[in-house]
Amino acid sequence: MSHRICRNIARPDPQALRILGELGVATVHEAQGRTGLMRSHMRPIYPGARICGAAVTVSLPPGDNLMIHAAVELCLAGDVLVVVPTSDSTDGYFGDLLATSLRARGVAGLIIEAGVRDVADLAVMRFPVWSRAVSAQGTVKASAGSVNVPVVCASTAVNPGDAVVADDDGIVVVLRARVSEVAPLAQARAVKEAATRKRLAAGELGMDIYGLRDKLAALGVQYIDSPQE
Amino acid sequence: MSHRICRNIARPDPQALRILGELGVATVHEAQGRTGLMRSHMRPIYPGARICGAAVTVSLPPGDNLMIHAAVELCLAGDVLVVVPTSDSTDGYFGDLLATSLRARGVAGLIIEAGVRDVADLAVMRFPVWSRAVSAQGTVKASAGSVNVPVVCASTAVNPGDAVVADDDGIVVVLRARVSEVAPLAQARAVKEAATRKRLAAGELGMDIYGLRDKLAALGVQYIDSPQE
Amino acid sequence: MSHRICRNIARPDPQALRILGELGVATVHEAQGRTGLMRSHMRPIYPGARICGAAVTVSLPPGDNLMIHAAVELCLAGDVLVVVPTSDSTDGYFGDLLATSLRARGVAGLIIEAGVRDVADLAVMRFPVWSRAVSAQGTVKASAGSVNVPVVCASTAVNPGDAVVADDDGIVVVLRARVSEVAPLAQARAVKEAATRKRLAAGELGMDIYGLRDKLAALGVQYIDSPQE
Amino acid sequence: MSHRICRNIARPDPQALRILGELGVATVHEAQGRTGLMRSHMRPIYPGARICGAAVTVSLPPGDNLMIHAAVELCLAGDVLVVVPTSDSTDGYFGDLLATSLRARGVAGLIIEAGVRDVADLAVMRFPVWSRAVSAQGTVKASAGSVNVPVVCASTAVNPGDAVVADDDGIVVVLRARVSEVAPLAQARAVKEAATRKRLAAGELGMDIYGLRDKLAALGVQYIDSPQE
Amino acid sequence: MSHRICRNIARPDPQALRILGELGVATVHEAQGRTGLMRSHMRPIYPGARICGAAVTVSLPPGDNLMIHAAVELCLAGDVLVVVPTSDSTDGYFGDLLATSLRARGVAGLIIEAGVRDVADLAVMRFPVWSRAVSAQGTVKASAGSVNVPVVCASTAVNPGDAVVADDDGIVVVLRARVSEVAPLAQARAVKEAATRKRLAAGELGMDIYGLRDKLAALGVQYIDSPQE
Amino acid sequence: MSHRICRNIARPDPQALRILGELGVATVHEAQGRTGLMRSHMRPIYPGARICGAAVTVSLPPGDNLMIHAAVELCLAGDVLVVVPTSDSTDGYFGDLLATSLRARGVAGLIIEAGVRDVADLAVMRFPVWSRAVSAQGTVKASAGSVNVPVVCASTAVNPGDAVVADDDGIVVVLRARVSEVAPLAQARAVKEAATRKRLAAGELGMDIYGLRDKLAALGVQYIDSPQE
């Protein structure tokens, strides 16, 4: 398979993306049947960010960020760049210069299963990044890769144009074709959780709200009054 | 051994718990002879929290948080919930709904050798959690476990009712029977450290305060004047 | 090789150190040909610190911090203490008492390929530390090591008197003999980056600024218009 | 997406599979442009095995092997079972009983991004397994998953019916549609490597065979005669 | 708690130990309700060993093996030495000299949550060791620890005199008081598994033997005939 | 610092190398004061090999093995190639073709802090390799590095011409200038250990041979007769 750059990709409905972004990773992950979650070694470089946008994907060789440069002009406002090296790497493929360039285009943030640098500057800029490492180790611009091809990032398949939601809990991917279906499911879940939260805050128990007492009995769990029993 | 839930546990003296909580993990760990410290892969989800309370322990199967729900009503104000899956797991067993429920009961915080989610909400709530991972991966409520049984959390044995102290340095467990003995030892250590701190701040050296010069000589460590020697 | 403590070491030009400190790890690392960077498992205990100073190095046995005490009086204002155990360890070799002592001497900060404790206090003091772990596990003062000998810290060789620059991106070491050569190179790089940053912020692309379009063509990367092609 | 089991999948040409199996992971990986390789945390439970077959894929919840049982009857002789839990897990989902069942159907081996047990028995049976862990921790048969759906195993996408080649070097996946194209490419590569091997064994140098001397010169690498230069 | 060495410990019934050793880790772990399994980072230094004996436990400081020497004379023929440092360490606490000494006393093997050295010699001697690392890094004999006290090894509590079973699948601990109860349960399980193995080898399916078809239907898992459905 | 290849390096006395190779890693490590040991994540690709030779060192960029090819012709019979990428990498930089080439020159083996492939072939050839990973991931031959410069491999500094000893316990480096001094020290240690081994095999205890009983008493370790004391 030769290296290629795909100029045009379909993107999800912006209104649905906005809804997913407001609801956040945990709710969206639940709403789509607990699929699409990236593994937990991906962490935000500073706390408090939450983004949602269409994925522009980049596959590149270890130690080389040429293809990130190639991807910049393919990004539209609101997009999320998803970058994966073809083998394990913690190098710093991305820093404040690339962030400045993406910011100029309105890109929402970066997901990279590798390293990132200039993180103090990125925090000041409030340019959100989720990565597996922070490293000042620079990269070259010498070898070919691809833009807007299917990739696997942190054990999750990502296609160009899929919705990517990221916050302090991690990152979840929603297939483009399912975004409009998942958004109302996520909203419904949020409404339901708000009601439950209110009851729990008032002192009701999950044991009663979810009807778990019978389940415990059915599972043969025994109540005892003290450890010595 | 069948699964069981123990309703009543003995708890340490509240006054002693308050003292341990004020002094923090490093001091308490030292005061009890450097025992009871959990391994360092357990990290707080936000900096600055410090808690101390009696342990309510939960042993549960991987990917299933039923027993956390069962544990909630057994917690008293000031308790610390300690949760351990029976095999390695980074799933998110706990989020803002369970935190709301525990907060309603006055629980001080959560120690979990697994994952947690809704961490942005938990930080806003100031509900402190120490965990080995952050993950939005949900769990089911299908399988049996136990509440208030002895567990091993992060390589440290915890019995129900033991004192659990946690802060930015990690987590230390004090056996219930030793809490009242350790509290004054920890206070004494803090007093002594304050005196030492004052001397060090004034420019005195640990070498002199602790009498280490003779030890270095006895160990045969040689002083040289420059690297070329 | 017997254990030894070297009293006097040569230090780099203070003005050059000041320049390196202002420019930070990523720029300095680039300016000296991408050498001297410590591996990314070394992390700051709180965000936002940036230091640069001459290395005072410590080699010590696992679980024993005697040699840190021996090193304190050899530190001058502005120095950076670099501590490495002779085998893997996450114990807490350093806490607020030693930080108080180093602060009294004007030491800039600590780099330790092991654990550190009292991190909440250290953050309040603004005493910067880069470590591979946070742990309350105390150490003894019983066995010999060396001060101001060559060490390897986080896969990077450090000689006493080398410049150590540390910030949120990590830690880079500049050989003492090269500090005065690297400082102006780093300044030149910073100037050049500022110009590039301005152009990128205005919407110019790295593809054009760096002339990457021809390279992509030469590498045989194909542009396609849509994924179905 | 509901859980589902797909009874019938298309499989690659058996002759092409046989060729890939003879050539092994490194050669096949090269022949298909260095794609499809699983990450290196997957290791064989004993050395010396080499298999190639069509993937029957299993996605299952952590700590539950029900879906492996469901997959057995869908396997044909020569197939390779590929099993992935939906979240990180090292439990032992598979042991000598399941191996006996798969052996009875002529299954070639197992790839599992989790744990496996009874490994001494599996070695005696010569039933090859590649896993990320060995663990006696048992699983339950309680929750739903899917068979013959696309999965991501060790950071590589696997579709049912793709070719899976595994040996001591790891595991590589060849898309079903590309198997017949890759097999002759791999053969050609093996022939070429055999010729190169012969020349290298006779003392010729890669520097000359691959024409690397000019490249080194072009890259500005300098030859010096001794370290002091 | 001061350091102490307990000379006499109660040991389980030798006949029950023999039975557990013959059945192995996976069967014993199942037979006692899936408790007592050490985590999977503990690995044998060579394949094929299987041991079972009473635990003689050692708690020692990092980098110091004095207490292993103290433990030797407390071991009886058939015992298993269980060694845990008080903080994370991969040093080589044990080598062929200590193995020679233990062999002279008939000790069955070593479990150590740290490093071991001389592994080639140990393999030739067939002295079985399970460890978390192999390392030539030597230790000193300078600091106090304890022998025959409760320890936590690889996340599992071990009391002196508990039964320790180890093979290629890992290590499981059976409480001394439960050994005579677990042995016949393990035998019963082995008999049952042998019968199941015979049926599976003959081509019967676990789906039918365990009655899983109804469970899949109840869980709502759908069968489809081809991926396009 | 520009990239360079040093053609000529000084090597240690062959007779001393032969002695170190016969004695092995643990003994040599001890004999030179427990210095020079590489960290334990470096493992042999097959058990039972033991080598010792002069280091030919290679520093190369991630994902690029050009400089290994450049190094081949600089190796003499008996040398050991030591290869380190400039940033973290698990790619397979080396396989059976390069091994064939090195074998043709009489090279003793390879130490690489990265990945290696064709390990089944390498085992058949008995070409020994110590690496941190096994991976079929190929590399390119595009970027510059250096040969015979100082490197840091697995946290240990290695200069060209230093002695490298490797066996199942790991890898130890002896400075070239110290080889002739360390060899007789290692021999003396081996003689002493043989005598100790004989006494231990006859049932004498390390407690008595090393005079540890007084030390335990001095440390305040208490003997008790049973756990209940």
Side-chain angles (χ1 to χ4, degrees):
Chain A
M1 278 180 283
S2 60
H3 297 296
R4 61 194 188 281
I5 298 171
C6 178
R7 285 199 186 90
N8 305 303
I9 60 171
R11 287 171 172 82
D13 171 48
Q15 172 66 3
L17 288 178
R18 197 183 53 72
I19 292 169
L20 296 181
E22 281 166 8
L23 297 172
V25 171
T27 299
V28 171
H29 174 58
E30 290 289 340
Q32 72 169 341
R34 299 188 171 173
T35 59
L37 189 70
M38 293 191 190
R39 295 287 154 114
S40 62
H41 60 269
M42 301 291 290
R43 297 304 302 144
I45 58 167
Y46 59 84
R50 174 173 289 177
I51 63 172
C52 178
V56 171
T57 62
V58 178
S59 169
L60 39 65
D64 195 306
N65 75 352
L66 170 59
M67 303 313 294
I68 301 182
H69 290 277
V72 173
E73 66 185 326
L74 304 180
C75 292
L76 302 186
D79 283 351
V80 175
L81 201 61
V82 178
V83 177
V84 191
T86 51
S87 59
D88 275 338
S89 173
T90 58
D91 289 354
Y93 294 76
F94 184 97
D96 84 294
L97 289 185
L98 273 165
T100 299
S101 187
L102 290 181
R103 171 60 51 88
R105 302 188 68 82
V107 169
L110 170 73
I111 312 293
I112 181 165
E113 197 179 10
V116 64
R117 60 183 184 176
D118 302 327
V119 293
D121 296 322
L122 297 176
V124 169
M125 290 172 66
R126 306 307 289 174
F127 187 88
V129 177
W130 286 255
S131 72
R132 61 169 280 213
V134 171
S135 170
Q137 180 69 44
T139 53
V140 296
K141 299 178 188 68
S143 297
S146 294
V147 179
N148 281 331
V149 294
V151 296
V152 170
C153 184
S155 297
T156 299
V158 189
N159 305 293
D162 285 347
V164 176
V165 190
D167 63 20
D168 288 351
D169 282 348
I171 306 128
V172 69
V173 178
V174 182
L175 291 175
R176 185 173 56 85
R178 295 194 68 213
V179 167
S180 298
E181 166 201 352
V182 171
L185 292 172
Q187 282 179 311
R189 186 177 169 91
V191 169
K192 193 175 151 198
E193 284 197 347
T196 306
R197 190 177 297 109
K198 204 171 169 181
R199 294 172 67 183
L200 291 167
E204 269 191 271
L205 292 168
M207 286 283 274
D208 300 312
I209 295 174
Y210 307 125
L212 302 176
R213 293 190 194 280
D214 290 351
K215 182 171 285 186
L216 284 175
L219 287 167
V221 178
Q222 290 185 302
Y223 278 86
I224 59 177
D225 276 329
S226 75
Q228 287 74 23
E229 252 175 278
Chain B
M1 278 181 280
S2 60
H3 297 296
R4 61 193 188 281
I5 298 172
C6 178
R7 285 198 185 92
N8 305 303
I9 60 172
R11 288 171 172 82
D13 170 49
Q15 172 67 1
L17 288 178
R18 198 183 52 72
I19 292 169
L20 296 181
E22 282 167 7
L23 297 172
V25 171
T27 299
V28 171
H29 175 57
E30 290 290 340
Q32 73 169 339
R34 299 186 171 177
T35 59
L37 190 70
M38 293 191 190
R39 295 285 153 114
S40 62
H41 60 271
M42 301 291 289
R43 297 302 303 143
I45 58 168
Y46 59 83
R50 174 173 288 177
I51 63 172
C52 178
V56 171
T57 63
V58 179
S59 168
L60 39 65
D64 196 306
N65 75 352
L66 170 58
M67 301 315 293
I68 301 182
H69 290 278
V72 172
E73 66 185 325
L74 304 180
C75 293
L76 302 186
D79 283 352
V80 175
L81 200 60
V82 177
V83 177
V84 191
T86 51
S87 59
D88 276 337
S89 172
T90 59
D91 289 354
Y93 294 74
F94 184 96
D96 84 293
L97 290 184
L98 274 165
T100 298
S101 187
L102 291 180
R103 170 63 49 89
R105 301 188 69 82
V107 170
L110 170 73
I111 312 294
I112 181 165
E113 197 179 10
V116 65
R117 61 184 183 175
D118 303 327
V119 292
D121 296 323
L122 297 176
V124 170
M125 290 172 68
R126 307 307 289 174
F127 187 88
V129 176
W130 286 255
S131 72
R132 60 169 280 212
V134 171
S135 170
Q137 181 69 44
T139 53
V140 296
K141 298 177 189 68
S143 298
S146 293
V147 178
N148 280 332
V149 293
V151 296
V152 171
C153 184
S155 297
T156 298
V158 190
N159 303 295
D162 285 347
V164 176
V165 190
D167 62 20
D168 289 352
D169 283 348
I171 306 129
V172 69
V173 177
V174 182
L175 291 176
R176 186 172 57 85
R178 295 195 66 213
V179 167
S180 297
E181 165 202 353
V182 171
L185 292 173
Q187 283 179 312
R189 184 175 172 90
V191 168
K192 192 176 151 198
E193 284 198 348
T196 307
R197 191 177 296 108
K198 204 170 171 181
R199 293 173 67 183
L200 292 167
E204 271 192 270
L205 292 168
M207 286 284 273
D208 300 313
I209 295 174
Y210 306 125
L212 303 176
R213 293 191 194 279
D214 290 350
K215 182 170 287 184
L216 284 175
L219 289 167
V221 178
Q222 291 184 303
Y223 278 85
I224 59 177
D225 276 329
S226 74
Q228 286 74 24
E229 254 174 274
Chain C
M1 276 180 281
S2 60
H3 298 296
R4 61 195 188 281
I5 298 172
C6 178
R7 285 198 185 89
N8 305 304
I9 59 171
R11 287 172 173 81
D13 171 49
Q15 172 66 1
L17 287 179
R18 197 184 52 73
I19 292 169
L20 296 181
E22 281 166 8
L23 297 172
V25 171
T27 298
V28 172
H29 174 57
E30 290 289 340
Q32 72 168 341
R34 299 185 171 176
T35 59
L37 189 70
M38 292 190 191
R39 296 287 154 113
S40 62
H41 59 268
M42 301 292 288
R43 298 302 302 144
I45 58 167
Y46 59 84
R50 174 173 289 178
I51 63 171
C52 178
V56 171
T57 63
V58 179
S59 169
L60 40 65
D64 195 306
N65 75 352
L66 170 59
M67 302 314 294
I68 300 182
H69 289 278
V72 172
E73 66 186 325
L74 304 180
C75 293
L76 302 186
D79 283 351
V80 175
L81 200 60
V82 178
V83 178
V84 191
T86 52
S87 60
D88 276 337
S89 172
T90 59
D91 288 353
Y93 294 76
F94 185 96
D96 84 294
L97 289 184
L98 273 165
T100 298
S101 188
L102 291 181
R103 171 61 50 90
R105 301 187 70 81
V107 169
L110 170 72
I111 313 293
I112 181 166
E113 197 179 11
V116 63
R117 61 183 183 175
D118 302 327
V119 293
D121 296 322
L122 297 176
V124 169
M125 290 172 68
R126 306 308 288 175
F127 186 88
V129 176
W130 286 255
S131 73
R132 61 169 282 213
V134 171
S135 170
Q137 180 70 43
T139 54
V140 296
K141 299 177 188 67
S143 298
S146 293
V147 178
N148 280 332
V149 293
V151 296
V152 170
C153 184
S155 297
T156 298
V158 189
N159 304 294
D162 285 346
V164 176
V165 190
D167 63 19
D168 288 352
D169 283 348
I171 306 129
V172 69
V173 178
V174 183
L175 291 175
R176 185 172 57 84
R178 294 195 66 213
V179 167
S180 297
E181 165 201 352
V182 171
L185 292 173
Q187 283 179 311
R189 185 176 170 90
V191 169
K192 193 175 150 200
E193 284 198 348
T196 306
R197 191 178 295 108
K198 204 171 171 182
R199 293 172 69 183
L200 291 168
E204 269 192 273
L205 292 168
M207 286 283 273
D208 299 313
I209 295 174
Y210 307 124
L212 302 177
R213 293 190 195 280
D214 290 351
K215 182 170 285 186
L216 284 175
L219 288 167
V221 178
Q222 291 185 302
Y223 277 86
I224 60 176
D225 276 330
S226 74
Q228 286 74 25
E229 252 175 278
Chain D
M1 275 180 283
S2 59
H3 297 296
R4 61 194 188 283
I5 298 171
C6 178
R7 286 199 186 90
N8 305 303
I9 59 171
R11 288 172 172 83
D13 171 48
Q15 171 67 0
L17 288 178
R18 198 183 53 73
I19 293 169
L20 296 180
E22 282 167 6
L23 297 172
V25 170
T27 298
V28 171
H29 174 57
E30 290 290 338
Q32 73 168 340
R34 298 186 172 176
T35 59
L37 190 71
M38 293 190 190
R39 296 286 155 114
S40 62
H41 59 270
M42 301 291 289
R43 299 300 304 142
I45 57 168
Y46 59 83
R50 174 172 288 178
I51 63 171
C52 178
V56 170
T57 63
V58 178
S59 169
L60 40 66
D64 195 307
N65 75 350
L66 170 59
M67 301 314 293
I68 301 182
H69 289 279
V72 172
E73 66 185 325
L74 304 179
C75 293
L76 302 186
D79 284 351
V80 175
L81 200 61
V82 178
V83 177
V84 191
T86 52
S87 59
D88 275 337
S89 173
T90 58
D91 289 354
Y93 294 75
F94 184 97
D96 84 294
L97 290 184
L98 273 164
T100 299
S101 189
L102 291 180
R103 171 61 51 89
R105 301 188 70 82
V107 169
L110 170 74
I111 313 293
I112 181 165
E113 197 178 11
V116 65
R117 60 182 182 176
D118 302 329
V119 293
D121 296 323
L122 296 176
V124 168
M125 289 173 67
R126 306 305 289 175
F127 186 88
V129 176
W130 286 255
S131 72
R132 61 169 282 212
V134 171
S135 170
Q137 180 69 43
T139 53
V140 296
K141 297 178 189 67
S143 298
S146 293
V147 178
N148 280 332
V149 293
V151 296
V152 170
C153 183
S155 297
T156 298
V158 189
N159 304 294
D162 285 348
V164 176
V165 190
D167 62 20
D168 288 351
D169 283 348
I171 307 130
V172 68
V173 178
V174 183
L175 291 175
R176 186 173 55 85
R178 294 194 68 212
V179 167
S180 297
E181 167 201 350
V182 171
L185 292 172
Q187 283 180 310
R189 186 176 170 90
V191 168
K192 193 175 150 198
E193 285 197 347
T196 306
R197 191 177 296 109
K198 204 169 170 182
R199 293 173 67 183
L200 292 168
E204 273 193 88
L205 292 168
M207 286 285 273
D208 300 311
I209 295 174
Y210 306 125
L212 301 176
R213 295 191 194 277
D214 290 350
K215 182 170 284 184
L216 283 175
L219 288 167
V221 178
Q222 292 184 301
Y223 277 85
I224 59 177
D225 276 330
S226 75
Q228 285 73 24
E229 256 176 271
Chain E
M1 277 180 283
S2 59
H3 298 296
R4 62 194 187 283
I5 298 171
C6 179
R7 285 198 186 91
N8 305 304
I9 59 171
R11 289 172 171 82
D13 171 49
Q15 171 67 1
L17 289 177
R18 197 184 53 72
I19 292 168
L20 296 181
E22 281 166 9
L23 296 172
V25 171
T27 298
V28 171
H29 174 57
E30 290 289 340
Q32 73 169 338
R34 298 185 172 178
T35 60
L37 190 69
M38 293 192 189
R39 295 286 153 113
S40 62
H41 59 269
M42 301 291 289
R43 298 302 303 144
I45 57 167
Y46 60 83
R50 173 172 289 177
I51 62 172
C52 178
V56 170
T57 63
V58 178
S59 169
L60 38 66
D64 195 305
N65 75 351
L66 170 59
M67 301 314 293
I68 301 182
H69 290 279
V72 172
E73 66 185 326
L74 304 180
C75 293
L76 302 187
D79 282 351
V80 175
L81 200 62
V82 177
V83 177
V84 191
T86 52
S87 59
D88 275 338
S89 172
T90 58
D91 289 354
Y93 294 75
F94 184 96
D96 83 294
L97 290 184
L98 273 165
T100 299
S101 187
L102 290 180
R103 169 63 50 88
R105 301 187 70 81
V107 169
L110 170 74
I111 313 293
I112 181 165
E113 196 179 11
V116 65
R117 61 183 182 176
D118 302 328
V119 293
D121 296 323
L122 297 176
V124 169
M125 290 172 67
R126 307 307 287 174
F127 186 88
V129 176
W130 286 254
S131 72
R132 61 169 280 213
V134 171
S135 170
Q137 180 70 44
T139 53
V140 297
K141 297 178 189 68
S143 297
S146 293
V147 179
N148 280 333
V149 294
V151 296
V152 170
C153 183
S155 297
T156 298
V158 189
N159 304 295
D162 285 347
V164 176
V165 190
D167 62 20
D168 288 352
D169 283 348
I171 306 127
V172 69
V173 178
V174 182
L175 291 175
R176 185 171 57 85
R178 294 195 68 214
V179 167
S180 297
E181 167 201 352
V182 171
L185 292 172
Q187 283 179 310
R189 186 178 168 88
V191 168
K192 193 175 150 199
E193 284 198 347
T196 306
R197 191 177 296 109
K198 203 170 172 182
R199 292 173 67 183
L200 292 167
E204 272 193 89
L205 292 168
M207 286 284 273
D208 299 312
I209 295 174
Y210 307 124
L212 302 176
R213 294 191 194 278
D214 290 351
K215 182 170 286 183
L216 284 175
L219 288 166
V221 178
Q222 291 184 302
Y223 278 86
I224 59 176
D225 276 330
S226 74
Q228 286 74 23
E229 252 175 276
Chain F
M1 276 178 282
S2 60
H3 297 297
R4 61 194 187 282
I5 297 172
C6 179
R7 284 198 185 90
N8 304 304
I9 59 171
R11 288 172 171 82
D13 171 48
Q15 171 68 0
L17 288 178
R18 196 183 53 72
I19 292 168
L20 296 180
E22 281 167 7
L23 297 172
V25 171
T27 298
V28 171
H29 174 57
E30 290 290 339
Q32 73 169 338
R34 299 188 171 174
T35 59
L37 190 70
M38 294 192 188
R39 295 287 154 114
S40 63
H41 60 269
M42 301 291 289
R43 298 302 302 144
I45 58 168
Y46 60 84
R50 173 172 290 176
I51 62 171
C52 178
V56 171
T57 64
V58 179
S59 169
L60 40 66
D64 195 307
N65 75 351
L66 170 59
M67 302 314 293
I68 301 182
H69 290 278
V72 173
E73 65 185 326
L74 304 179
C75 293
L76 302 186
D79 283 352
V80 175
L81 201 60
V82 177
V83 177
V84 191
T86 52
S87 59
D88 275 338
S89 172
T90 58
D91 290 353
Y93 294 74
F94 184 96
D96 84 293
L97 290 184
L98 273 165
T100 299
S101 187
L102 291 180
R103 170 61 52 87
R105 300 188 70 81
V107 169
L110 170 74
I111 312 294
I112 181 165
E113 198 179 10
V116 65
R117 61 183 182 176
D118 302 329
V119 293
D121 295 323
L122 297 176
V124 169
M125 290 173 66
R126 305 308 288 176
F127 187 88
V129 176
W130 287 255
S131 71
R132 61 170 280 213
V134 171
S135 170
Q137 181 69 45
T139 53
V140 297
K141 298 178 188 68
S143 297
S146 294
V147 179
N148 280 332
V149 294
V151 296
V152 171
C153 183
S155 296
T156 297
V158 189
N159 303 293
D162 285 348
V164 176
V165 190
D167 62 19
D168 288 352
D169 283 347
I171 305 129
V172 69
V173 178
V174 182
L175 291 175
R176 186 172 57 85
R178 294 194 69 214
V179 168
S180 298
E181 166 200 352
V182 171
L185 292 173
Q187 283 179 311
R189 186 177 170 89
V191 168
K192 191 175 151 199
E193 284 197 348
T196 306
R197 191 177 297 109
K198 202 169 171 183
R199 293 172 66 184
L200 292 167
E204 271 192 89
L205 292 168
M207 287 283 274
D208 299 312
I209 295 174
Y210 307 124
L212 302 176
R213 293 190 194 279
D214 290 351
K215 183 171 285 184
L216 283 175
L219 289 166
V221 178
Q222 292 184 301
Y223 278 86
I224 58 176
D225 275 329
S226 74
Q228 285 75 22
E229 255 175 273

